[in-house]
Amino acid sequence: MEMEDQMESQKRRGTSRDDLISEQTGSLGCVGWFIVVLSGMFTLLLFPITVWFCLKIVQEYERAVIFRLGRITDRKAKGPGIFFILPCTDSIVKVDLRTVSFDIPPQEILTKDSVTVSVDGVVYFRVSDPIASVANVSNADSSTRLLAQTTLRNVLGTKNLAELLSDREGIAHSMQSNLDEATDNWGIKVERVEIKDVKLPQQLQRAMAAEAEATREARAKVIAAEGEMNASRALKEASIVISESPSGLQLRYLQTLSTIAAEKNSTIIFPLPMDIISHFMKK
């Protein structure tokens, strides 16, 4: 259903754009055709000279929109390659079809949870319809840049700080959809939008850092407490095992002495059982 709705909306936008262009490609009228015929005759009479004014070349990445007496001659732009025009009545406007990128200046935005942040981004767009980009807007590049700034403010104004920091991809996709829909009648296709940087106030950065540090310290204390609890349980089980076998305690003593001696210590404390000491004291 969503795909069908998008296709229908694109079809409606395309139809409205074609209607605007068709209104501008009307008939020249009797006087207009008379001037065109007169210009053609003049071109033929002075052909060796006028041929250099009639011949035009556009690059592979360009298209030419031809105006004849102020009206667009065709629904499709000319190019790439060589084509001819009438020197006295026709004028051309070249349109670059390559992808253009520009930076959105940092915008001071108040988020939904009343936090002031500075956000900037980058937009990639290209001209998809040369005729619409010339006939429907005075400066498609400048208009798209200004619209990107206002769209960034409108979209981020509906998000809170957590969404702004964690869902950049979703915000960029929403901006791209809004920009693409708004610039469709201008013959502009927005290919990609990216959020570059989100700058927070220094006071808010310190507060978030303190909160994160406190959270890490609390987590470390919990982990240390869990480790001590597990160690005490292990020691309890070991004491139960050693109490069942007195010789096991002696073996533990010897193992401890071996560990101390491996560290090349100058002083070694050798523990003795109390029953052996008491035997010598009685003598």
Side-chain angles (χ1 to χ4, degrees), residues 57-64 78-81 83 94-95 97:
I57 301 175
V58 294
Q59 304 294 332
E60 181 68 29
Y61 54 84
E62 293 178 332
R63 297 295 183 270
K78 299 294 184 180
F83 60 94
K94 292 183 179 181
V95 180
L97 301 184

Side-chain angles (χ1 to χ4, degrees), residues 186-244:
W186 301 344
I188 300 296
K189 173 64 179 177
V190 179
E191 296 181 339
R192 191 177 183 87
V193 178
E194 291 292 342
I195 303 298
K196 291 176 59 178
D197 191 17
V198 178
K199 295 181 181 179
L200 303 177
Q202 293 293 331
Q203 185 177 0
L204 181 59
Q205 292 182 16
R206 290 193 294 268
M208 294 178 67
E211 181 183 0
E213 183 178 0
T215 302
R216 288 193 297 268
E217 290 179 355
R219 190 180 298 112
K221 291 180 180 179
V222 171
I223 294 174
E226 292 178 351
E228 292 179 358
M229 182 177 62
N230 295 332
S232 63
R233 290 176 180 174
L235 289 173
K236 179 181 178 182
E237 295 176 359
S239 64
I240 294 174
V241 173
I242 292 175
S243 64
E244 295 177 354

Side-chain angles (χ1 to χ4, degrees), residues 10 21 98 112 130 162 230 235 245:
Q10 292 178 358
I21 295 174
R98 292 176 292 184
K112 189 176 181 181
N230 295 332
L235 289 173
S245 176

Side-chain angles (χ1 to χ4, degrees), residues 68-87:
R68 178 164 294 165
L69 297 178
R71 291 185 176 273
I72 298 175
T73 59
D74 196 355
R75 290 176 176 267
K76 185 177 180 181
K78 299 294 184 180
I82 303 174
F83 60 94
F84 293 89
I85 63 171
L86 294 176

Side-chain angles (χ1 to χ4, degrees), residues 158-183:
T158 61
K159 306 291 183 180
N160 55 41
L161 182 60
E163 294 175 343
L164 179 58
L165 296 177
S166 61
D167 191 21
R168 293 192 180 188
E169 184 176 355
I171 294 174
H173 181 70
S174 177
M175 280 190 59
Q176 179 183 353
S177 300
N178 293 341
L179 276 175
D180 195 22
E181 182 178 358
T183 58

